[in-house]
Each structure stands twice: as structure tokens, then as C-alpha cells.
Amino acid sequence: MYAFTYLEENGMDHTYQVMVYDSTKDAYIAMMEELPELFSAFQVEDEEFLADSTLRDMAEQCRSTFFLGDMIPPYEEDDVIQILKYYAQYSEAPKFYTFDDIDRNKLDVAAIARHIYDEDMGPRKKAEYVDSLWDSAEDDVLRLFFGKKLYFWRQLDIELMKITQPLIYEDNVIAHEKNLEDLPLHEIGKTNPDLEKRLRDGAFEKAKNQKGQYVCQKCGLTAANRVPFQVDHIVPMNKGGKSTPDNLQILCRSCNARKSDKY
Ligand SMILES: [Zn+2]
């Protein structure tokens, strides 16, 4: 994974991660080595912000030079564009991380919150401690994942609240989930991916037979995996049905298509 942050023209920091697979690894390594040549060929060595058309031309040059042939998973042009934007500002290739490099413990915000609580740190000590983690010279894992210190602080305060005020936290989560009931599942996923997963998983769990196979709740089609099925609102949303566990079921694709035709 390449991970890096660059400045947008509007002054906002933009944090980006490019996933690299076996299929694209060699192409990325070759591209990184040639970045100085590429920038000099396009005569944009001194430009901090590249025009969109230039970026697209450079990305196409990269594609036709490095990313040819079948690649599964494939490369994404946008990834290359982000790397070009970074290079334009820093004149160096972004840092490469393997998943072994990343010390997951350092990202365990709940554990950090627990430490702050156990040590009974006051606001000043807490701030110093957070600074020391954030500015750690060894690595920039926190910066990498949170992008902005503000986001790290927010997450940390939520974890602290779970420890110090569990009831307030629970009430808030429940109230929040209640508001989401009126949204379709994919919309719920945009604000609360875990809730969408729980609702979908629940609909599938309910529909298992004794052999552990999934069963279409209309025609009885069975399958061992989830691919043939879609999660359906028993009472449709346009008839007042909600995205709640009791109103969700699974249907095979053809039953679901037939049902949507009727409404
Ligand atoms: Zn069916």
C-alpha cells in the first residue's frame, strides 16, 4: 500500500491510500522509478498543482507504459493520478507500507482511551499524550489512517465516552439507529456501515434451513452461498415499511425482480 497526504488547491489536506496487489506491484515499482523522467518529459517539474488535462495525459502515458495486459485485480487510473499529484508537490515517490509494517496496536483507539482513563490523565496530560502519539518519530501510522488530528481526537473522545458514560453512549447509538430505519439499506451503509452489515446478515441468518443453506422466502430456492439472493423489505418502503430486522427477508433475484414489478 502506498499512503500519502498532499495539499489540494483549495488548501485542504487530502489523504490517500493506493492498494497494490501482486498483479500491479511490478508496474508500480517501475512507474515510481520513472517519475522524474515522466515529469521532465511533460515539462512540469516546477508545478505544484497540475492541470486536470495534464494529469490525464500523464496517467495515460503511465497506463500505456507500465500497466498493460491483464491485471487482476486491475489498476485504477485515479490511483495513478493521486500519486502524480503527490509527486508534483514532494518530488519523491510516496512511502510504501506492507501490512506487516503496520503496528495495529498503535491504531487501537479503544486501548489508547483505556490508557488515558486508567492513568487518570487530566486534559493537559491527555493533550500531551495525544501529541506524543501523533508526532511519534518512529512512524506516521496515526496520520496515515486518520489523516487529520481532529478525526483522531473525535474517535478518541467517543472511545473515552464509552468508558466513562456508557449509558449516554448507548442511548445515542440507539437513537441514531432509530433515525436510520426510514432509509434503504445502501443509504444506511453510507453513515453506518456496521448497521447495514448487521441488518443484511440478520436477514440471511433468519433464512437458513437445517442444512445451513439459504432459502428464498418466496419460491424456496436454496443455495449454500449468498450470491443468488437479495435482501428485500417485506412491507416495501414506499408503503411505510422500515429497515428493521423484522421487516427484512431474502429473496432470490428473480422473485425480487417480480416483486418490484408489482409496485
Ligand atoms: Zn425465489
Side-chain angles (χ1 to χ4, degrees):
M1 170 175 77
Y2 291 99
F4 48 94
T5 302
Y6 62 82
L7 198 65
E8 297 273 22
E9 261 176 293
N10 61 15
M12 299 280 279
D13 280 333
H14 188 98
T15 296
Y16 203 83
Q17 289 125 26
V18 174
M19 300 305 269
V20 176
Y21 305 97
D22 283 347
S23 57
T24 49
K25 196 174 88 191
D26 292 344
Y28 272 113
I29 290 171
M31 183 185 102
M32 296 299 181
E33 277 174 13
E34 301 295 331
L35 283 174
E37 271 73 17
L38 180 75
F39 274 70
S40 103
F42 277 77
Q43 302 182 321
V44 287
E45 291 147 294
D46 303 319
E47 292 177 33
E48 207 181 336
F49 300 106
L50 301 175
D52 284 349
S53 58
T54 310
L55 280 166
R56 270 196 305 276
D57 289 348
M58 291 174 86
E60 172 53 22
Q61 182 65 42
C62 288
R63 189 196 67 79
S64 60
T65 311
F66 306 110
F67 294 94
L68 292 177
D70 274 344
M71 292 184 167
I72 300 168
Y75 95 106
E76 303 282 342
E77 186 185 54
D78 195 44
D79 286 348
V80 170
I81 287 179
Q82 305 295 335
I83 289 170
L84 295 173
K85 285 181 167 182
Y86 175 85
Y87 188 88
Q89 286 178 16
Y90 295 95
S91 300
E92 62 177 23
K95 222 170 145 184
F96 186 78
Y97 298 82
T98 67
F99 281 99
D100 300 338
D101 290 339
I102 294 166
D103 182 351
R104 271 157 236 263
N105 291 329
K106 290 190 179 154
L107 291 170
D108 187 346
V109 184
I112 295 169
R114 171 58 63 184
H115 180 71
I116 290 170
Y117 180 76
D118 289 345
E119 296 290 308
D120 205 5
M121 293 182 192
R124 187 181 305 190
K125 273 204 113 172
K126 175 184 162 195
E128 283 169 5
Y129 180 58
V130 170
D131 284 349
S132 76
L133 294 175
W134 188 260
D135 299 327
S136 159
E138 293 157 46
D139 57 50
D140 42 14
V141 168
L142 284 175
R143 284 166 198 266
L144 178 63
F145 277 83
F146 288 94
K148 281 181 189 276
K149 209 175 187 175
L150 171 70
Y151 302 144
F152 175 54
W153 266 102
R154 265 193 207 149
Q155 193 58 41
L156 187 59
D157 281 336
I158 289 171
E159 294 297 335
L160 276 167
M161 191 172 177
K162 285 189 199 169
I163 298 170
T164 56
Q165 307 287 344
L167 292 176
I168 295 180
Y169 175 75
E170 291 289 319
D171 284 353
N172 253 306
V173 170
I174 290 164
H176 177 61
E177 291 189 358
K178 200 111 189 101
N179 294 335
L180 296 178
E181 283 177 4
D182 294 322
L183 297 176
L185 292 174
H186 65 272
E187 287 294 332
I188 292 177
K190 286 182 196 162
T191 50
N192 191 336
D194 278 349
L195 179 59
E196 181 192 8
K197 180 177 182 336
R198 248 183 292 137
L199 290 168
R200 287 188 187 276
D201 286 350
F204 275 95
E205 275 315 302
K206 279 199 298 192
K208 268 186 176 172
N209 65 15
Q210 281 155 341
K211 290 187 200 151
Q213 297 166 312
Y214 301 110
V215 183
C216 171
Q217 302 297 290
K218 191 127 203 152
C219 72
L221 174 117
T222 60
N225 65 62
R226 296 184 177 197
V227 182
F229 304 104
Q230 292 170 320
V231 176
D232 166 64
H233 287 83
I234 299 170
V235 178
M237 300 209 78
N238 59 12
K239 297 251 178 348
K242 304 215 179 266
S243 292
T244 49
D246 56 303
N247 192 40
L248 295 173
Q249 64 178 355
I250 63 165
L251 295 179
C252 72
R253 288 181 170 272
S254 52
C255 285
N256 198 33
R258 238 171 284 137
K259 181 174 172 181
S260 355
D261 283 348
K262 274 196 277 174
Y263 297 103

